[in-house]
């Protein structure tokens, strides 16, 4: 089935950010700046955590995993868009589109699972500090991180295989209404009856995402209740300073992603869609290192 669809469409056309050469080069420079910030920030993060033995604890182990997913997800989408702007083209090959969709979905799902695991880490650290060593030993941390990566991989494999097994007739065109290959925009090029099958898979993913979201919210309700019971102001401040960056990252990730996927079709516009997708796919990897290092003295000292 996959070979049939590739024979009907050999390449896709991605959405161009601008028509004029000056604006194309401006887009290239803007994305280059964001990409370099993400590379330097996350790269520095990974090296610091890996090299400093004082940071070899569960919180920083999960942060290192998060930095890897951030680096990967921005590297999946941004360089291709930059290259297209620079060479004044819109094309992406069929295999390139499959790879882009798979890796982006894989890394974004893994990141969400890691954020859920990190909420659990903060919950245990603040609500059950005496059991922290036993509940979050090195083996447990490796198992949780592996489960997050495996969930991301399976989710991406399921959606990618299903999306590209659908017939993509030439009559529907090959223009993807986004700057990278994303499921809803590929589905628009497919036959309408096939759309329903993918909708079923999307419902399963939404339920999983909602489950993670509820888990994060419940964890933070418990955390804030425990923090407010701490008698000393210094103790409360220390507890909040380890939680607030994670909460800020979760809020940014969830709010932008939710608004993008649940917005009403009646208010659809390609420019609004573009802004929302940039906000949840390009912006977080660049600002996450900044958010995490801002309130973290231990990390600053290590750097």
């Amino acid at each position: 089935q996959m070979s049939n669809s590739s024979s009907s469409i050999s390449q896709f056309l991605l959405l161009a950010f601008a028509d004029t050469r000056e604006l194309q080069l401006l887009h290239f420079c803007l994305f280059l700046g964001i990409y370099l910030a993400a590379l330097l920030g996350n790269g520095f993060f990974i090296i610091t955590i890996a090299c400093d033995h004082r940071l070899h604890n569960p919180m920083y182990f999960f942060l290192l995993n998060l930095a890897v997913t951030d680096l990967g997800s921005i590297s999946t989408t941004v360089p291709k868009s930059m290259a297209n702007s620079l060479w004044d083209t819109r094309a992406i090959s069929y295999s390139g589109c499959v790879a882009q969709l798979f890796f982006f979905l894989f890394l974004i799902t893994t990141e969400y699972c890691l954020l859920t695991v990190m909420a659990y880490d903060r919950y245990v650290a603040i609500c059950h500090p005496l059991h922290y060593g036993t509940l979050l030993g090195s083996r447990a941390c490796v198992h949780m991180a592996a489960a997050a990566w495996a969930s991301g991989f399976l989710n991406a494999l399921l959606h990618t295989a299903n999306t590209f097994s659908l017939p993509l007739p030439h009559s529907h065109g090959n223009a993807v209404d986004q700057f990278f290959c994303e499921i809803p925009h590929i589905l628009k090029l497919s036959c309408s009856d096939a759309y329903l099958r993918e909708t079923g898979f999307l419902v399963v993913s939404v339920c999983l995402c909602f489950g993670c979201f509820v888990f994060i919210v419940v964890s933070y309700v418990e955390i804030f209740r425990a923090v407010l019971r701490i008698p000393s102001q210094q103790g409360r401040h220390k507890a909040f300073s380890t939680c607030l960056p994670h909460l800020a990252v979760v809020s940014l990730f969830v709010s932008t992603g939710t608004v993008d996927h649940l917005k009403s079709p009646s208010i659809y516009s390609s420019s609004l869609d573009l802004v929302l997708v940039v906000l949840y796919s390009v912006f977080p990897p660049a600002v996450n290192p900044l958010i995490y290092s801002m309130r973290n003295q231990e990390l600053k000292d290590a750097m």
Side-chain angles (χ1 to χ4, degrees), residues 45 48-49 52-60 63 122 238 241-242 292-303:
F45 229 59
T48 304
I49 294 169
D52 196 316
H53 65 91
R54 290 172 302 173
L55 302 181
H56 291 179
N57 63 41
M59 186 171 91
Y60 292 107
L63 264 182
R122 292 298 82 212
K238 192 182 177 187
S241 67
T242 64
Y292 274 114
S293 57
M294 229 163 33
R295 300 287 299 268
N296 194 321
Q297 196 56 47
E298 204 176 15
L299 197 59
K300 282 181 192 170
D301 294 344
M303 282 176 172

Side-chain angles (χ1 to χ4, degrees), residues 35 38-39 42-43 45-46 61-77 102-116 118 144-153 249 253 280-282 284-286 288-289 292:
Y35 187 53
L39 280 184
N42 288 293
F45 229 59
I46 292 164
F61 170 70
F62 294 129
L63 264 182
L64 186 138
N65 277 271
L66 194 74
V68 171
T69 61
D70 277 338
L71 261 184
S73 65
I74 199 167
S75 298
T76 304
T77 57
F102 172 79
F103 282 110
F104 181 72
L105 209 55
F106 170 36
L107 292 156
I108 282 286
T109 309
T110 303
E111 180 162 347
Y112 193 43
C113 293
L114 284 169
L115 288 171
T116 308
M118 287 166 78
M144 283 190 276
W149 285 95
S151 302
F153 180 80
V249 169
F253 184 82
Y280 97 90
S281 65
V282 177
N288 282 358
Y292 274 114

Side-chain angles (χ1 to χ4, degrees), residues 170-186:
H170 254 308
S171 58
H172 288 215
N174 65 340
V176 178
D177 202 18
Q178 192 48 269
F179 75 96
F180 66 95
C181 290
E182 211 186 13
I183 290 175
H185 300 285
I186 301 290

Side-chain angles (χ1 to χ4, degrees), residues 3 106 137 145 153 194 201 221-222 276 298:
S3 59
F106 170 36
F153 180 80
F201 283 124
V221 167
E222 290 298 314
L276 288 168
E298 204 176 15

Side-chain angles (χ1 to χ4, degrees), residues 24-303:
Q24 282 177 338
L25 292 173
L26 179 67
H27 159 245
F28 172 79
C29 293
L30 189 67
F31 262 30
L32 180 65
I34 294 170
Y35 187 53
L36 287 176
L39 280 184
L40 290 170
N42 288 293
F44 200 39
F45 229 59
I46 292 164
I47 292 164
T48 304
I49 294 169
C51 294
D52 196 316
H53 65 91
R54 290 172 302 173
L55 302 181
H56 291 179
N57 63 41
M59 186 171 91
Y60 292 107
F61 170 70
F62 294 129
L63 264 182
L64 186 138
N65 277 271
L66 194 74
V68 171
T69 61
D70 277 338
L71 261 184
S73 65
I74 199 167
S75 298
T76 304
T77 57
V78 169
K80 180 63 185 170
S81 183
M82 281 161 53
N84 280 3
S85 284
L86 195 61
W87 309 125
D88 190 20
T89 178
R90 291 175 57 196
I92 183 170
S93 67
Y94 183 87
S95 56
C97 192
V98 174
Q100 201 177 54
L101 191 143
F102 172 79
F103 282 110
F104 181 72
L105 209 55
F106 170 36
L107 292 156
I108 282 286
T109 309
T110 303
E111 180 162 347
Y112 193 43
C113 293
L114 284 169
L115 288 171
T116 308
V117 170
M118 287 166 78
Y120 175 69
D121 166 68
R122 292 298 82 212
Y123 165 74
V124 175
I126 289 165
C127 300
H128 304 285
L130 298 177
H131 299 116
Y132 190 70
T134 48
L135 289 173
L136 282 151
S138 54
R139 183 176 286 184
C141 289
V142 168
H143 285 168
M144 283 190 276
W149 285 95
S151 302
F153 180 80
L154 288 171
N155 187 51
L157 193 67
L158 181 80
H159 285 294
T160 308
N162 184 58
T163 302
F164 286 98
S165 68
L166 304 176
L168 301 170
H170 254 308
S171 58
H172 288 215
N174 65 340
V176 178
D177 202 18
Q178 192 48 269
F179 75 96
F180 66 95
C181 290
E182 211 186 13
I183 290 175
H185 300 285
I186 301 290
L187 289 181
K188 284 177 188 171
L189 307 177
S190 178
C191 304
S192 56
D193 61 328
Y195 203 100
L196 293 169
R197 193 171 53 159
E198 177 57 25
T199 306
F201 283 124
L202 282 172
V203 167
V204 173
S205 290
V206 166
C207 290
L208 270 171
C209 288
F210 186 69
C212 288
F213 180 69
V214 169
F215 184 87
I216 292 169
V217 169
V218 170
S219 298
Y220 269 94
V221 167
E222 290 298 314
I223 286 167
F224 285 129
R225 282 174 64 188
V227 169
L228 292 172
R229 285 199 298 266
I230 296 172
S232 73
Q233 193 177 351
Q234 194 182 2
R236 282 200 298 271
H237 181 265
K238 192 182 177 187
F240 272 129
S241 67
T242 64
C243 294
L244 290 178
H246 178 253
L247 200 56
V249 169
V250 170
S251 304
L252 180 71
F253 184 82
V254 172
S255 59
T256 51
T258 306
V259 170
D260 178 56
H261 287 97
L262 299 182
K263 65 181 178 300
S264 164
S266 60
I267 58 157
Y268 176 82
S269 77
S270 57
S271 54
L272 174 72
D273 198 39
L274 206 55
V275 168
L276 288 168
V277 170
V278 167
L279 273 176
Y280 97 90
S281 65
V282 177
F283 193 57
V287 298
N288 282 358
L290 191 68
I291 293 171
Y292 274 114
S293 57
M294 229 163 33
R295 300 287 299 268
N296 194 321
Q297 196 56 47
E298 204 176 15
L299 197 59
K300 282 181 192 170
D301 294 344
M303 282 176 172

